[in-house]
Amino acid sequence: MITWLSLGKLIIPGGANIQGSDKVGHLLVYLFFTIFWFLFFFYSEKKRKSFVQSILLASILGVVYGMLMEIFQGVFTSYRTPDWNDIVANAIGVIIAVVILKLLKNKIVVLKHRE
């Protein structure tokens, strides 16, 4: 879905574009993207990693994927342009996800040990 949103030709009906709203969208998408990848690495039977390893992998994946999508917009589309501010918004979303996960670490680890 993120790839489609990043590379697709999106039409915003009636000029409903609110200044900065796409940056908030980037931030939220990458916040959830990072949390989902963390959960995959931390809870997966086959890919089980420690808490720190899971955060590190999910964070790297989020930042690198966000950068690649911006590069791909410039290389593979004629209707989208890469934007450094989008990369920054993506990275901020990743950072917020890490902060949330660290704040919830004790609860997350307890849930894992209940399995």
Side-chain angles (χ1 to χ4, degrees):
M1 185 171 133
I2 295 173
T3 303
W4 178 77
L5 288 170
S6 296
L7 301 177
K9 192 170 190 175
L10 304 177
I11 299 169
I12 299 171
N17 193 8
I18 299 169
Q19 179 131 2
S21 64
D22 79 314
K23 303 307 178 243
V24 173
H26 279 267
L27 184 148
L28 292 173
V29 165
Y30 280 85
L31 183 151
F32 288 109
F33 181 75
T34 304
I35 289 173
F36 288 135
W37 275 110
F38 165 81
L39 294 171
F40 170 75
F41 290 125
F42 193 65
Y43 287 108
S44 172
E45 289 296 323
K46 292 181 181 179
K47 302 286 183 193
R48 190 167 291 221
K49 305 285 184 203
S50 72
F51 186 85
V52 172
Q53 289 173 322
S54 298
I55 283 184
L56 186 60
L57 286 170
S59 299
I60 291 169
L61 184 63
V63 170
V64 170
Y65 189 81
M67 292 172 74
L68 285 174
M69 288 300 101
E70 291 303 313
I71 291 168
F72 291 171
Q73 284 179 2
V75 172
F76 297 121
T77 70
S78 60
Y79 45 84
R80 304 290 297 264
T81 56
D83 184 350
W84 283 105
N85 292 326
D86 289 348
I87 293 172
V88 170
N90 297 344
I92 291 170
V94 170
I95 291 166
I96 292 171
V98 169
V99 169
I100 290 169
L101 290 167
K102 288 203 171 238
L103 289 172
L104 297 174
K105 179 181 180 181
N106 291 338
K107 292 181 183 186
I108 293 169
V109 172
V110 167
L111 285 175
K112 183 176 182 178
H113 292 299
R114 286 187 184 169
E115 295 176 350

